[in-house]
């Protein structure tokens, strides 16, 4: 079997076109949706992510403000800037690019963002609501993965799902969204004994570890759906995921590529969350 590739770039195009339509409808009513992106320091990868997010806004009718600060910015100054953005009626979403320099407490910064502008979905109010009810925003990466399942009509209710990774931004919210959809979910981490024993019985595998080639063909049940969130570099410096794509695509039923899979969907769901925030603010 050769797996069907879930094309995140193509799906993103469709979803971004819907965002652009909604942005135009809001603009026609005199409301311009706005996202503020805040970058502290000069982390090379973060600069690329932020540039891509700002460009995606521009391409789809959203207004964006890009605040770039030196790594020496004090925590107090960053909190003051967030306070100003919270009160700015032109701004509907606030994204602080992580990681922050070590002298800044990232938790404190995230908690300072108004929950109704927390388009990353990382604020404790939104993370808690993901657990207990309807969050204002779902974290962009796992939300994008859910859209991929929906687009391919991959059944989640009753499915055995294994999420590899337990971070607050990917693994844990991914697991919660799968639980919400009725899957039976196992969350694995670096201490998991015999990872392959878990993945081999999974209908759905979501790998989010940052470990290249962690998931190999022998770990995958024939026909399973394999979602690769990882972003790593191979020996030639090319972008690759956590999954041995060439081997696993011969066993899996569905697979996401890297690049062109989950990455573009993450930015797309940021736009979706921002447009939702703007629509709520506009009433
Ligand atoms: P993270 O905070 O470093 O978490 C990695 C997780 O993987 C941890 O829970 C870790 O377990 C687990 N892990 C590491 N090695 C493992 C192993 N051998 N077996 C099982 N679990 C293992 O990373 P993250 O922020 O969640 O990101 C994960 C990956 O996704 C990274 O490559 C990142 O660049 C990528 N990412 C991509 C997107 C996108 O849009 N495509 C968005 C966000 C992140 P412990 O908790 O036990 O240490």
């Amino acid at each position: 079997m050769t797996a069907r590739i879930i094309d995140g770039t193509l799906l993103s195009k469709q979803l971004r076109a819907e965002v652009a339509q909604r942005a135009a409808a809001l603009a026609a009513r005199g409301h311009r949706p706005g996202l503020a992106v805040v970058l502290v320091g000069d982390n090379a990868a973060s600069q690329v992510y932020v540039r891509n997010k700002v460009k995606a806004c521009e391409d789809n009718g959203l207004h964006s403000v890009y605040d770039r600060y030196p790594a020496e910015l004090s925590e107090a100054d960053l909190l003051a800037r967030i306070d100003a953005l919270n009160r700015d009626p032109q701004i509907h979403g606030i994204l602080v690019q992580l990681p922050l320099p070590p002298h800044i407490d990232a938790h404190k910064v995230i908690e300072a963002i108004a929950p109704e502008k927390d388009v990353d979905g990382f604020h404790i109010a939104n993370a808690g609501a993901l657990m207990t009810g309807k969050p204002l925003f779902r974290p962009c990466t796992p939300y994008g993965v859910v859209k991929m399942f929906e687009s391919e009509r991959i059944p989640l209710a009753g499915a055995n799902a294994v999420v590899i990774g337990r971070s607050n931004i990917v693994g844990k919210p991914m697991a919660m969204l799968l639980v919400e959809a009725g899957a039976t979910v196992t969350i694995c981490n670096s201490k998991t004994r015999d990872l392959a024993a878990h993945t081999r019985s999974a209908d759905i595998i979501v790998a989010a570890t940052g470990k290249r080639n962690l998931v190999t063909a022998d770990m995958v049940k024939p026909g399973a759906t394999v979602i690769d969130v990882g972003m790593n570099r191979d020996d030639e410096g090319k972008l690759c995921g956590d999954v041995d794509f060439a081997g696993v695509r011969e066993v899996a039923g569905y697979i996401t590529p890297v690049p062109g899979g989950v990455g573009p969907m993450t930015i797309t769901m940021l736009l979706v969350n921002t447009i939702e925030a703007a629509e709520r603010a506009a009433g």
Side-chain angles (χ1 to χ4, degrees):
M1 169 185 279
T2 301
R4 180 174 159 82
I5 292 174
I6 310 178
D7 185 338
T9 306
L10 186 67
L11 180 56
S12 279
K13 262 195 196 138
Q14 296 160 9
L15 295 173
R16 288 183 196 196
E18 287 169 23
V19 166
Q21 272 178 7
R22 288 163 71 181
L26 272 177
R29 291 169 50 205
H31 304 282
R32 195 163 63 134
L35 174 72
V37 182
V38 181
L39 175 66
V40 185
D42 49 14
N43 180 306
S46 293
Q47 288 179 35
V48 175
Y49 299 151
V50 164
R51 264 204 309 273
N52 290 341
K53 288 168 186 174
V54 169
K55 182 172 184 313
C57 283
E58 285 166 4
D59 291 348
N60 294 283
L62 278 72
H63 158 66
S64 67
V65 172
Y66 178 11
D67 280 356
R68 217 176 145 177
Y69 296 106
E72 300 74 38
L73 182 78
S74 73
E75 184 181 280
D77 284 348
L78 179 56
L79 292 172
R81 179 62 186 142
I82 288 171
D83 184 46
L85 291 170
N86 282 341
R87 285 183 281 107
D88 184 343
Q90 313 280 335
I91 294 298
H92 306 97
I94 302 170
L95 180 149
V96 178
Q97 185 65 44
L98 302 177
L100 288 167
H103 67 278
I104 297 179
D105 180 345
H107 280 286
K108 210 167 164 182
V109 171
I110 290 166
E111 297 320 316
I113 298 171
E116 65 275 14
K117 295 191 178 186
D118 168 42
V119 285
D120 255 340
F122 296 163
H123 190 286
I124 197 163
N126 284 314
L130 185 64
M131 180 86 79
T132 60
K134 279 199 187 313
L136 288 173
F137 305 104
R138 291 165 180 80
C140 301
T141 301
Y143 191 16
V145 173
V146 168
K147 290 289 172 195
M148 290 175 129
F149 292 136
E150 284 175 8
S151 76
E152 297 292 335
R153 298 178 200 279
I154 293 165
L156 300 179
N160 286 336
V162 169
V163 178
I164 318 175
R166 55 171 164 175
S167 72
N168 288 337
I169 63 170
V170 189
K172 282 186 211 162
M174 183 76 252
M176 285 313 306
L177 290 170
L178 286 163
V179 166
E180 196 177 276
T184 303
V185 183
T186 303
I187 308 173
C188 298
N189 60 63
S190 65
K191 320 279 187 306
T192 298
R193 275 176 282 146
D194 200 353
L195 179 64
H198 294 280
T199 58
R200 276 193 204 114
S201 64
D203 305 302
I204 290 167
I205 300 171
V206 181
T209 67
K211 297 283 179 287
R212 192 181 138 200
N213 287 338
L214 181 74
V215 178
T216 48
D218 58 310
M219 297 166 70
V220 176
K221 183 168 88 169
T225 297
V226 180
I227 306 289
D228 193 350
V229 178
M231 289 211 291
N232 312 300
R233 296 274 163 193
D234 68 12
D235 294 336
E236 281 109 48
K238 277 201 273 178
L239 196 63
C240 65
D242 293 351
V243 174
D244 169 24
F245 183 82
V248 172
R249 73 178 295 191
E250 299 305 326
V251 182
Y254 294 87
I255 191 167
T256 64
V258 179
V262 175
M265 289 300 292
T266 296
I267 298 184
T268 299
M269 301 324 290
L270 174 68
L271 302 181
V272 169
N273 280 346
T274 303
I275 205 82
E276 278 175 14
E279 286 170 350
R280 278 184 209 129

